[in-house]
């Protein structure tokens, strides 16, 4: 009986050591490197959730890729909502700082994106709460870059950084 208690104690100690090492490593990984998130709503259709309310895509969010605020036009990003800091939203980057963008329903027809900001929009115009509603977004609100669809399995794919053809810029900073 004493031997079986010794085995249980050793097992418990080994489990605790592993647990107290694994949890901080996992938390750090999820906070700094990557995590997964379920996409809700229709704002990014048809790129995400093409089936509407019947299904929700699950995407891989790469935190590491936006750590230096390096994003490109066409990237799909997760960011803290400028109107509700408790909520994260997922949108496509349409314009970068210095770009002039033709808006879709914003109070100004054309907007020059200020330094340290980006212009984001949902792919499903008219069904998206985006920069057309709240204006340019501070790079400090960036959370992650969506890189892959992980679920459902029939939709496994890498998300491409492509600007929709109807959202070409009026003028980019590189043109100046």
């Amino acid at each position: 009986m004493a031997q079986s208690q010794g085995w249980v104690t050793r097992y418990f100690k080994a489990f605790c050591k592993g647990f107290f090492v694994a949890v901080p490593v996992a938390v750090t990984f999820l906070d700094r490197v990557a995590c997964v998130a379920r996409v809700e709503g229709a704002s990014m259709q048809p790129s995400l959730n093409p089936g509407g309310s019947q299904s929700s895509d699950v995407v891989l969010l790469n935190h590491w890729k936006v750590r230096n605020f390096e994003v490109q036009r066409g990237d799909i990003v997760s960011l803290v909502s400028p109107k509700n800091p408790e909520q994260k939203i997922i949108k496509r980057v349409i314009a970068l700082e210095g770009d002039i963008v033709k808006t879709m329903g914003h109070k100004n027809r054309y907007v020059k994106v200020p330094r340290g900001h980006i212009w984001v929009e949902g792919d499903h115009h008219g069904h998206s709460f985006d920069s057309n509603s709240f204006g340019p977004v501070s790079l400090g609100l960036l959370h992650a870059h969506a890189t892959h669809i992980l679920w459902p399995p029939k939709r496994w794919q890498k998300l491409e950084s492509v600007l929709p053809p109807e959202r070409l810029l009026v003028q980019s900073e590189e043109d100046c």
Side-chain angles (χ1 to χ4, degrees):
M1 185 71 178
Q3 285 182 338
S4 66
Q5 286 179 337
W7 178 84
V8 170
T9 304
R10 282 194 312 273
Y11 178 78
F12 182 73
K13 285 181 181 178
F15 174 80
C16 288
K17 285 180 185 177
F19 180 80
F20 288 116
V21 168
V23 168
V25 169
V27 169
T28 301
F29 181 85
L30 293 173
D31 188 48
R32 300 286 176 200
V33 180
C35 67
V36 295
R38 193 176 82 175
V39 178
E40 297 174 352
S43 72
M44 286 301 294
Q45 287 179 344
S47 301
L48 300 173
N49 293 348
S53 60
Q54 294 93 342
S55 67
S56 292
D57 287 344
V58 174
V59 295
L60 177 67
L61 296 177
N62 184 333
H63 298 287
W64 193 255
K65 197 165 182 181
V66 298
R67 71 190 182 285
N68 294 324
F69 307 114
E70 295 172 6
V71 293
Q72 300 174 1
R73 290 174 201 90
D75 285 353
I76 297 176
V77 296
S78 166
L79 52 131
V80 176
S81 170
K83 296 295 183 188
N84 179 4
E86 301 292 316
Q87 181 184 24
K88 296 225 176 38
I89 58 177
I90 189 161
K91 304 293 174 198
R92 187 178 300 277
V93 176
I94 300 298
L96 304 173
E97 61 182 40
D99 292 347
I100 297 173
V101 64
K102 183 178 179 184
T103 65
M104 302 175 89
H106 188 263
K107 61 184 175 185
N108 300 326
R109 182 123 170 99
Y110 296 95
V111 172
K112 182 173 183 178
V113 180
R115 186 172 184 184
H117 289 71
I118 55 176
W119 187 270
V120 296
E121 294 180 355
D123 288 354
H124 195 182
H125 304 296
H127 292 88
S128 178
F129 184 64
D130 55 29
S131 285
N132 288 299
S133 303
F134 46 72
V137 177
S138 170
L139 286 170
L141 296 178
L142 269 179
H143 174 250
H145 177 248
T147 59
H148 295 80
I149 297 175
L150 302 177
W151 194 263
K154 66 182 179 198
R155 292 200 16 87
W156 282 351
Q157 63 183 297
K158 182 178 189 301
L159 291 169
E160 299 299 327
S161 294
V162 179
L163 264 181
E166 69 275 7
R167 296 307 292 141
L168 296 178
L169 300 173
V170 173
Q171 182 178 7
S172 72
E173 193 166 66
E174 291 126 19
D175 296 339
C176 297

